[in-house]
Amino acid sequence: MKLFDLGLEPEEVIAHPRHQAAQADLVPLIERVRACRSPQDGYELQQDLLRHILEVEEDRNAFSKAVKRMRGGKAPQAGVPEPQSGLDLSDIETWILERELCERVGRQFRSIGDALAWRAFNHDRRYILALCRNAPSGIMAGKAGLKTELETVESHWRDSGRFALMHDLTNCLRIGDTTVWQDDGPHTYEIKTNTRYRNPVQEQRIATAYEAIRTGSALPGDHPNERLHDIDTPLQTHMELLQTATQRAAKDGIFAAKVPGSRALLAVDLYGVISQSWTPQEFRQRVARQWDAARRRARIGDQLDLNMHATSLDNVSRDPLRVPWGVYPLHPVAAARLIGDVMTFVVETSGPSLATDLTARGIPAQWVRPPGTEDLVAGEVVMEMHSQTEWRTPNGLTATLSRTLQLKPSEMDRYLIELLDQDCWAAGIRHLLLSPDTSDRPWPVFRNEGNTWL
């Protein structure tokens, strides 16, 4: 469930005391992630983050129990935290709101764990892509085995001064329980309360993940052709435009602009909107006017049912493939506002325009998704890109190699939400099309990502 599905207005959620308290906590946590320089920095930050997450999850468990009791015609249990919304305590919706707010705030704190993971892995996306390939972890509070995991973290720190990152504090690390940074680099481990009950399946997934990082072999999962591919091109983005967007939206409420590469960007900051004293109708009119103008400048406004978009709204720590806002090169306050949806942004493109751009760069492309406004489905093919290479064989014959790459939602989301430079993105596509080693399900990784992310 998403909170806004309950029929609440964004400002009602953001004005909730629990949500406001989380916003105040996020900024110093982001600053500490960025200031991490030593195992001690990581260890101390993790301790504080663990406290935040356990507190909110314990409250969530209590509210969840209260909701179950009320559905059964009983009063909430003794000792349950009192809702902070000021709404009617006899209404079950009040308690559902508190439960879902705890889920939301818990994800916000986990996004700091994601940022810490990216920082600890030196912004090497290969580790995230390899270690995210499991179901998400559940609630930490009350988890069997949590005590053993905590003791393991403490023993690594106490005995050798090594930082052990708990995966349950993140959304992006889903294989294994902890990663420990040793003299020869990171090592990921599965932890069991009783060492006699090993989990060979999970241990094999850890080994498969590291082998994929080291040699380019198959990633963990059911598809042996899913492999990492190193792109010999530095990552280039338009982060400077997102920096401008967050600054202008904080001041003016709304900012919209053309993004190079057949895209348009819209940013809205709730505090900036409130400062303008617009009526709801004036706000809607201004958003529509600026957004339509940005689409026109980007030449993507002619047929909106062929457009694709990616948004920041209520997506924090849902998709392990997304770079966490905490490591985006933005002011810590702006990053915290994105995490808490106080500020949101959307990036949109036209599918046919994108295909035309790639074709003009020598990559024949065809937009294959039919018109429609439905959300993308995982695994859906939206665009196909082609290459054809010919060469003469020793006996005088001509050989032809044809290859087709299919663009799916995860890569489209990355192109949009990370504001990838289109020339850089096209270079990666060209590399995959022309390389004889490209697998049927490639995961491209550009060089020098640390120059983009903080």
Side-chain angles (χ1 to χ4, degrees):
M1 177 186 293
K2 291 190 177 184
L3 256 178
F4 300 127
D5 293 340
L6 297 175
L8 295 165
E9 294 296 325
E11 52 267 30
E12 293 181 84
V13 174
I14 291 166
H16 191 285
R18 185 183 293 274
H19 200 280
Q20 290 189 326
Q23 274 287 294
D25 290 332
L26 287 171
V27 174
L29 289 172
I30 293 169
E31 292 172 337
R32 290 176 64 186
V33 169
R34 297 176 180 185
C36 274
R37 295 292 185 275
S38 68
Q40 181 173 350
D41 293 337
Y43 170 80
E44 292 176 351
L45 173 56
Q46 179 168 250
Q47 294 299 105
D48 285 347
L49 184 58
L50 176 66
R51 175 177 57 81
H52 281 295
I53 291 178
L54 287 179
E55 285 178 357
V56 73
E57 288 189 346
E58 286 167 0
D59 284 355
R60 181 187 178 190
N61 287 343
F63 288 129
S64 181
K65 182 177 179 179
V67 169
K68 290 178 182 178
R69 288 177 60 88
M70 293 183 76
R71 283 178 173 158
K74 300 178 181 179
Q77 72 276 17
V80 63
E82 184 172 341
Q84 302 174 27
S85 63
L87 299 176
D88 184 359
L89 297 183
S90 66
D91 187 348
I92 191 173
E93 296 296 329
T94 299
W95 299 86
I96 292 174
L97 168 62
E98 297 294 330
R99 182 192 65 189
E100 296 306 314
L101 250 169
C102 287
E103 185 276 337
R104 176 185 175 85
V105 169
R107 282 192 291 109
Q108 293 175 13
F109 285 127
R110 272 197 170 78
S111 77
I112 303 299
D114 290 335
L116 180 58
W118 274 76
R119 178 80 173 176
F121 281 116
N122 199 28
H123 307 97
D124 189 337
R125 193 185 295 254
R126 295 176 304 159
Y127 286 94
I128 308 301
L129 291 174
L131 292 171
C132 76
R133 302 168 69 79
N134 256 355
S137 61
I139 299 292
M140 288 186 72
K143 172 188 173 183
L146 177 60
K147 180 180 178 182
T148 303
E149 291 182 23
L150 293 173
E151 290 173 348
T152 301
V153 169
E154 288 299 319
S155 66
H156 279 292
W157 177 246
R158 181 182 62 249
D159 298 341
S160 59
R162 288 172 174 158
F163 173 52
L165 176 63
M166 299 178 68
H167 289 194
D168 280 354
L169 293 176
T170 79
N171 174 58
C172 65
L173 301 179
R174 300 180 174 185
I175 292 178
D177 293 315
T178 63
T179 294
V180 183
W181 276 262
Q182 302 178 5
D183 294 341
D184 59 345
H187 293 260
T188 297
Y189 300 99
E190 184 82 5
I191 297 174
K192 291 299 175 186
T193 302
N194 190 329
T195 56
R196 291 183 299 174
Y197 298 108
R198 294 174 52 246
N199 189 334
V201 174
Q202 290 304 315
E203 290 176 356
Q204 181 57 50
R205 289 181 76 83
I206 293 171
T208 299
Y210 275 83
E211 187 66 16
I213 294 166
R214 186 166 52 251
T215 68
S217 58
L219 289 160
D222 299 328
H223 300 288
N225 287 320
E226 291 198 64
R227 300 168 186 260
L228 301 169
H229 287 273
D230 180 41
I231 305 299
D232 191 16
T233 298
L235 181 69
Q236 298 291 330
T237 70
H238 293 284
M239 282 295 136
E240 73 287 346
L241 182 55
L242 186 58
Q243 292 168 349
T244 298
T246 57
Q247 293 165 4
R248 290 280 300 277
K251 176 178 177 289
D252 302 329
I254 305 166
F255 176 84
K258 168 187 173 181
V259 182
S262 295
R263 288 166 290 185
L265 177 150
L266 172 70
V268 177
D269 185 291
L270 185 59
Y271 293 149
V273 169
I274 292 172
S275 71
Q276 303 301 321
S277 300
W278 293 324
T279 66
Q281 182 179 6
E282 288 173 332
F283 168 69
R284 288 191 293 269
Q285 290 173 343
R286 288 174 181 270
V287 167
R289 184 165 62 248
Q290 292 191 39
W291 192 213
D292 289 344
R295 283 176 173 144
R296 286 196 302 272
R297 291 194 297 272
R299 298 183 179 179
I300 63 170
D302 293 337
Q303 193 172 350
L304 296 182
D305 60 357
L306 287 172
N307 284 7
M308 296 285 99
H309 73 272
T311 179
S312 68
L313 179 62
D314 205 13
N315 279 303
V316 69
S317 276
R318 291 193 187 275
D319 184 351
L321 299 178
R322 279 199 173 183
V323 181
W325 305 128
V327 301
Y328 269 60
L330 303 171
H331 192 283
V333 171
R337 289 186 181 187
L338 285 172
I339 290 170
D341 293 321
V342 176
M343 182 187 299
T344 60
F345 76 95
V346 59
V347 183
E348 188 168 307
T349 189
S350 158
S353 295
L354 192 57
T356 299
D357 289 347
L358 291 177
T359 301
R361 284 169 167 75
I363 304 173
Q366 180 183 10
W367 188 256
V368 298
R369 189 175 194 260
T373 57
E374 299 83 5
D375 290 338
L376 289 173
V377 177
E380 180 181 0
V381 177
V382 297
M383 184 165 65
E384 293 184 342
M385 297 148 289
H386 313 280
S387 71
Q388 183 169 296
T389 305
E390 294 185 352
W391 68 93
R392 299 284 291 180
T393 65
N395 59 6
L397 297 176
T398 299
T400 302
L401 173 65
S402 298
R403 173 175 283 160
T404 297
L405 278 180
Q406 293 181 324
L407 184 70
K408 296 184 178 180
S410 59
E411 183 63 18
M412 174 61 78
D413 185 83
R414 182 183 180 188
Y415 174 68
L416 295 173
I417 208 71
E418 295 180 21
L419 297 177
L420 288 187
D421 176 78
Q422 193 176 82
D423 287 334
C424 168
W425 189 58
I429 294 171
R430 189 176 294 107
H431 175 102
L432 294 175
L433 283 169
L434 298 180
S435 172
D437 299 324
T438 300
S439 65
D440 291 341
R441 292 172 177 256
W443 289 91
V445 179
F446 292 91
R447 297 282 180 90
N448 302 330
E449 288 216 27
N451 294 337
T452 294
W453 315 118
L454 288 168

